[in-house]
Amino acid sequence: GENVEQHPSTLSVQEGDSAVIKCTYSDSASNYFPWYKQELGKGPQLIIDIRSNVGEKKDQRIAVTLNKTAKHFSLHITETQPEDSAVYFCAAHKPNSNYQLIWGAGTKLIIKP
Amino acid sequence: KAGVTQTPRYLIKTRGQQVTLSCSPISGHRSVSWYQQTPGQGLQFLFEYFSETQRNKGNFPGRFSGRQFSNSRSEMNVSTLELGDSALYLCASRAAGSYGYTFGSGTRLTVV
């Protein structure tokens, strides 16, 4: 079945620097890839997503890239700020399911002042 | 509009007891999914309900069950609680035909 691997598990960057989190998926039929941000004491919140017919998508300081051939996608955060500190989850649509997502294990992003 | 509401926010139960958690989805959302979140295991999918029918199910024992009512509100029940059931239980709703899940803040269950 579909499997999603996420790296790194923890990422510490200096405020103002960029952060990159990577995920790989196993089923080439997956066609939707969201990223969620979970702040302390809250549920995950969708921050950006990409479909398989697009290679890159940007929204202000965040961007997602997708490489279908290699079956991996990445989250890029530029000019990191303290409020970016959170746990980030990637996910991939599970083919032949009713919109079910398969989740990565999460990345704890720490922004150092 | 109001978000996904989960009650209660915190629960402490004794091993062997049973517990019921509640989730009220965003108005108009007919799909409700439940997840278990533990520090070492990330987000583990429990089940999804759509229009009162269980549509998908994760790999959890039969002690975990759920249901959905005609107003789309959902409950999940865990019977014969074990220490390992201590976790944050998250509910997420989404509109029909959409991939976008909106999560509640979760119920923190502690089994002692």
Side-chain angles (χ1 to χ4, degrees):
Chain A
E2 175 70 289
N3 183 50
V4 176
E5 293 189 1
Q6 182 172 349
H7 300 281
S9 57
T10 304
L11 178 61
S12 183
V13 302
Q14 206 70 39
E15 182 179 349
D17 287 350
S18 295
V20 180
I21 304 169
K22 299 181 180 180
C23 288
T24 60
Y25 59 99
S26 57
D27 195 325
S28 57
S30 289
N31 60 10
Y32 173 75
F33 308 92
W35 285 90
Y36 282 75
K37 174 184 181 182
Q38 186 176 24
E39 297 175 286
L40 206 58
K42 298 182 179 180
Q45 179 183 9
L46 177 66
I47 55 172
I48 195 167
D49 56 12
I50 192 167
R51 293 186 181 267
S52 59
N53 59 348
V54 175
E56 183 177 5
K57 184 176 179 181
K58 287 184 180 179
D59 183 3
Q60 299 182 351
R61 295 187 298 109
I62 61 173
V64 56
T65 58
L66 171 65
N67 183 326
K68 286 192 296 182
T69 303
K71 289 189 284 187
H72 67 70
F73 57 110
S74 300
L75 177 71
H76 304 255
I77 306 174
T78 59
E79 301 173 6
T80 52
Q81 300 170 4
E83 54 265 35
D84 295 328
S85 292
V87 178
Y88 291 80
F89 291 95
C90 66
H93 160 245
K94 181 179 179 181
N96 303 315
S97 75
N98 294 308
Y99 299 92
Q100 189 178 342
L101 298 176
I102 304 299
W103 296 84
T107 295
K108 183 175 183 179
L109 176 62
I110 301 167
I111 307 300
K112 298 181 290 185
Chain B
K1 57 183 176 181
V4 177
T5 303
Q6 290 189 247
T7 57
R9 286 298 308 273
Y10 302 93
L11 264 180
I12 300 176
K13 289 287 188 178
T14 303
R15 194 171 41 180
Q17 287 186 314
Q18 67 99 28
V19 67
T20 299
L21 312 181
S22 179
C23 173
S24 293
I26 289 175
S27 178
H29 286 192
R30 291 159 61 190
S31 166
V32 174
S33 297
W34 288 89
Y35 290 85
Q36 181 193 67
Q37 185 174 32
T38 56
Q41 297 296 320
L43 289 165
Q44 300 297 311
F45 173 71
L46 281 155
F47 28 66
E48 180 194 12
Y49 284 87
F50 184 87
S51 294
E52 302 180 66
T53 301
Q54 188 181 89
R55 198 152 65 170
N56 292 305
K57 190 176 189 304
N59 190 26
F60 277 81
R63 300 185 297 108
F64 293 81
S65 63
R67 59 178 176 168
Q68 187 179 34
F69 303 96
S70 58
N71 62 358
S72 294
R73 190 178 71 86
S74 178
E75 290 180 347
M76 69 162 282
N77 184 277
V78 188
S79 62
T80 320
L81 284 165
E82 301 176 359
L83 296 178
D85 296 333
S86 294
L88 179 67
Y89 289 87
L90 291 162
C91 160
S93 75
R94 66 173 179 83
S98 166
Y99 282 110
Y101 286 83
T102 301
F103 283 83
S105 293
T107 294
R108 172 76 62 186
L109 173 64
T110 302
V111 182
V112 297

